[in-house]
Amino acid sequence: MDITFKNVEHRYQARTPFEKLALYDVNLSVKKESYVSIIGHTGSGKSTILQHLNGLLKPTEGSIQIGDHVIEAGKKQKNLKEVRRLVGIVFQFPEHQLFEETVEKDIAFGPMNFGVNETDAYERARKSLQLVGLPESILQKSPFDLSGGQMRRVAIAGVLAMGPEVLVLDEPTAGLDPKGRKEMMDLFYRLKEERNLTIILVTHSMEDAAKYADEMIVMHKGTIAMRGTPREIFSQGEKLTSYGLDLPETVKFQQKLKDKGLAFEEIPLTLDEAVMQIKALMKEEDHL
């Protein structure tokens, strides 16, 4: 399912004294089964775009096509419920949205709200729990008796149980330690591969954007400032810095080596890539 933004603008509290332009001239397309990361400084428009992806916000100008569904400024929208089933959003700290008395009921709530019968919803709950790496033995437990990491996975299972084709991740590793962050990001990547999902990641982590995304979008002051592959984006370090953004540690390391006269063949986006290129440089030195 492709997603296309055409000339999208969004104004908060439009036509009031408190009107604020949050997005303007946003044109982008997200292809089916791609992995796109959206980065930008606080206030750049990332979260506003995110909320347009399943109709939580509607454009004040332009249109958004989500599969066969079109959300157009100034027109009454139909079938937004189906859009919200197709596009699942995992917000920051999703565990704060848990509320049912058992894990099973919490995961099944979404599907049942979308018309799935109780038996099928509970079966979805069981399968979704497996997808996020948790045992069936916790289905009858209270979600509030689980660890923080388990609660987050239960909340994600609740989104997956609705059968989305697109998964939107809003800072999904917020508050996690490095090990937990890696486990969570690896989980999303595995789900993408196994379920052929489209992933849209909104993040402040340059490392996550570099490692996992096929394509990056840089937001600045309400519009798209840059777009390209991670390697293309991070090769323009000065431009990113001018937008108040940082670089992955591997890119910073490469720049320091370059200042000392050691040039990599291409910018390393991960630690493994940096190690491989350093080994290659050492072999070249040995042959001289």
Side-chain angles (χ1 to χ4, degrees), residues 17 30 33 42 48 54 79 82 86 108 119 170 181 199 222 253:
V30 176
E33 297 177 25
T42 301
T48 305
N54 75 347
N79 297 323
E82 176 63 7
L86 292 169
T119 300
D170 182 15
R181 189 179 83 185
I199 300 276
F253 179 64

Side-chain angles (χ1 to χ4, degrees), residues 49-80:
I49 277 192
L50 179 154
Q51 293 178 74
H52 279 76
L53 287 165
N54 75 347
L56 290 175
L57 289 179
K58 299 169 189 174
T60 49
E61 293 289 342
S63 65
I64 303 163
Q65 182 159 356
I66 302 168
D68 296 328
H69 304 273
V70 178
I71 302 173
E72 194 169 354
K75 292 190 177 180
K76 192 172 182 179
Q77 309 304 322
K78 297 179 180 179
N79 297 323
L80 279 183

Side-chain angles (χ1 to χ4, degrees), residues 5-273:
F5 281 58
K6 289 184 180 179
N7 303 317
V8 170
E9 171 196 278
H10 185 79
R11 295 174 184 268
Y12 288 107
Q13 297 181 292
R15 295 180 293 279
T16 76
F18 306 102
E19 180 177 301
K20 179 184 177 183
L21 179 63
L23 291 179
Y24 71 93
D25 194 27
V26 173
N27 292 277
L28 68 88
S29 59
V30 176
K31 294 297 182 184
K32 179 181 179 180
E33 297 177 25
S34 60
Y35 196 133
V36 177
S37 66
I38 302 176
I39 64 173
H41 200 270
T42 301
S44 62
K46 303 188 305 298
S47 294
T48 305
I49 277 192
L50 179 154
Q51 293 178 74
H52 279 76
L53 287 165
N54 75 347
L56 290 175
L57 289 179
K58 299 169 189 174
T60 49
E61 293 289 342
S63 65
I64 303 163
Q65 182 159 356
I66 302 168
D68 296 328
H69 304 273
V70 178
I71 302 173
E72 194 169 354
K75 292 190 177 180
K76 192 172 182 179
Q77 309 304 322
K78 297 179 180 179
N79 297 323
L80 279 183
K81 194 168 185 178
E82 176 63 7
V83 170
R84 289 166 184 162
R85 185 191 70 77
L86 292 169
V87 181
I89 298 184
V90 178
F91 289 102
Q92 285 190 52
F93 304 105
E95 59 272 22
H96 293 172
Q97 298 166 44
L98 300 174
F99 65 94
E100 283 281 10
E101 59 186 16
T102 68
V103 168
E104 182 178 55
K105 288 183 177 181
D106 218 306
I107 299 174
F109 176 83
M112 290 172 66
N113 191 44
F114 281 86
V116 176
N117 66 58
E118 185 177 278
T119 300
D120 289 344
Y122 285 166
E123 177 62 14
R124 288 192 186 197
R126 185 183 64 79
K127 290 181 177 178
S128 296
L129 203 63
Q130 292 175 344
L131 283 173
V132 298
L134 292 176
E136 290 183 38
S137 59
I138 70 168
L139 279 170
Q140 300 308 318
K141 288 187 175 181
S142 166
F144 306 105
D145 290 337
L146 305 178
S147 69
Q150 288 175 322
M151 289 172 70
R152 185 166 299 194
R153 287 178 184 248
V154 167
I156 293 164
V159 175
L160 294 173
M162 292 186 284
E165 294 182 19
V166 179
L167 200 57
V168 181
L169 311 174
D170 182 15
E171 300 286 356
T173 60
L176 299 180
D177 60 26
K179 181 176 181 289
R181 189 179 83 185
K182 181 181 184 304
E183 289 176 350
M184 190 62 64
M185 292 306 300
D186 286 347
L187 167 66
F188 290 127
Y189 192 81
R190 177 176 60 79
L191 289 171
K192 174 192 180 301
E193 296 298 300
E194 291 179 357
R195 305 196 72 180
N196 300 317
L197 296 174
T198 302
I199 300 276
I200 300 173
L201 169 69
V202 176
T203 184
H204 281 100
S205 170
M206 299 300 107
E207 277 72 21
D208 289 346
K211 181 177 180 180
Y212 295 98
D214 308 316
E215 188 171 15
M216 291 180 63
I217 294 168
V218 181
M219 296 295 297
H220 183 63
K221 293 184 177 179
T223 197
I224 296 174
M226 300 171 69
R227 183 170 186 173
T229 66
R231 215 174 300 279
E232 289 168 343
I233 296 297
F234 289 125
S235 67
Q236 303 175 66
E238 289 185 7
K239 196 170 183 180
L240 280 175
T241 301
S242 74
Y243 296 144
L245 297 173
D246 205 353
L247 295 172
E249 292 301 320
T250 53
V251 176
K252 292 180 184 177
F253 179 64
Q254 178 263 348
Q255 289 178 338
K256 289 180 180 179
L257 289 182
K258 187 176 180 181
D259 292 341
K260 296 181 182 296
L262 295 173
F264 287 177
E265 287 187 9
E266 60 182 10
I267 291 175
L269 297 179
T270 66
L271 182 59
D272 288 342
E273 285 185 10

